Amino acid sequence: MIGDSAAGGKGPGSNENGLIISADFGTSGVKIAALDRSLSAIATATRRYPLSLPGPDRAEQEPEDWWSALREGIADLAAQIPDLSARASALVFCAQMCGVIPVELSGRPLRPAIVWLDKRAGSLSRAMNGGFPSLAGYRFDKLYTWTRIANGAPSHNGMDPPAKMLWLKQHEPEVWDAAARLLDVKDWLLHRATGRFVTTADSANLTWMMDTRPGREGWSPYLAGRLGIPLDRLPEIVDGTYTVGGLLPQAGTELGLAASLPVIAGAGDVVATAIGSGATGDGELHAYAGTSAWLSGFFPSRRIDIFHSYATISSSVNYRPLLIATQESAGSAFAWAARLFGGGESGAARDDDASLEALYAGIGPLRDSDPLFVPWLAGERVPVDDDRLRGVFTGLSVGHDRNALLRSVLEGVALNMRWALSKVARQKGLKTGLPLPLVGGGAVNPHFAQMLADALKLQVVVRQPRLAGVRGAGAIAAAGLGWYPSVEAAAATLTQGEALTYDPEGEGVARADRRAALLDRHRPKLISLYR
């Protein structure tokens, strides 16, 4: 059952000078901002935390690292805004999705979080999904039931929560037996702040145990029972604008904020970023290039493309359908290339923001002689769902230097997104030809932004790209507080202000067409190579 939205404007900091503290928890760190009533960031902070890769296809994080980073980031905000605690009107989170954190009833994690990037359950997921007769790797009856009820099915690559949950059940039975709840990243943060176990529809949908049919939204006892996952281990589903509760006294002390400060449910990073991009009309797309990449947009009804592995999920606000076509590597590929090829004249061998900007600033223009790059460094999801795929350079010669490889990595991500768009563009109701908002850390790279404009043949618009998730979550909280009549009305303010625009350029478009044609010939052979 979904909770009601917050009563408008009540509680600490509800005056005209009130601020929303919004935190966006990504894979490598948290971005935090204090947002005023226009959703402008008047102070920001960033804190990093480690990602553990303890074995092949494994990726984990310590939940307390997220909380410590939040505490330190809010202290950074308070250094910029001395009366932050008095002015704070709400705290809201958005976070990476598809994580699994088994916790005791107290909320204490029983093991490190298995985060979205983890693919250890890939073979288990394929077995869970498969059988005879099959379609697109799914047994007919399973596919029919999942798509009818949940509008999708677990990915074959093991990244979705149900396969991770079943992996715990099989391989760590003592953890499974002790787990009172199975939480996503944002869910754990909300419990740490308020003591309540809740989730939002976007995270619930991606467990593939939620009924997303209009008028029937909620946990599906049938889907959960078929997977063997008890419903009482899943948190309550609430709307993103819902006030989960007041900040617990201990949490308030740790964060330097007032106890009872309203904590808003928020959203997963995909939904928050969609809202933060400003492209909230039906059929409008935005592009994200962070650690991963996606093309996404709201639609008036559920959509699904089984053969190309994308669909709409229920967003955290009013269950509004949000199409997501996710690809696994974007900024992670840029950072990988920087670590690998970043020595030499620039001296930039690290993958922090400053080093990346210094490195990519001097790579020069694309050339037809550059090698082609396929960015499947962590497998792929759209339009081919297979964790076994791996990245490839093709066409290498002794004449290629590190700049040629760096250019190829940027171009490879852009052309990979073109590949995804070629499938998404078939959706009825998609508004074509509109400027495409580009958000995420990759958007600050002008080389990549221009390559993407040329590859997609669309004007690319970049406006505060690193804060899209923070501002989108802020828009949800602002509607929950009653500052705006709706989340969409709040999001309309996010398209104001200066922006960088990148128009498709004739020579670049022609080159992208030629290079894409070459990749189109290579991809089927590369895919078959890894299967």
Side-chain angles (χ1 to χ4, degrees), residues 121-131 137 139 142 156 170:
S123 60
L124 190 155
S125 189
R126 286 188 289 274
M128 175 182 73
N129 297 338
R139 198 174 77 190
K142 296 178 181 179
H156 295 315
Q170 289 186 17

Side-chain angles (χ1 to χ4, degrees), residues 60 62 170 221 296 349 366 371-372 400 411 458 494:
E60 299 180 348
E62 292 289 347
Q170 289 186 17
S296 179
L366 271 172
L372 289 166
H400 288 134
E411 179 198 41
L458 293 171
L494 305 181

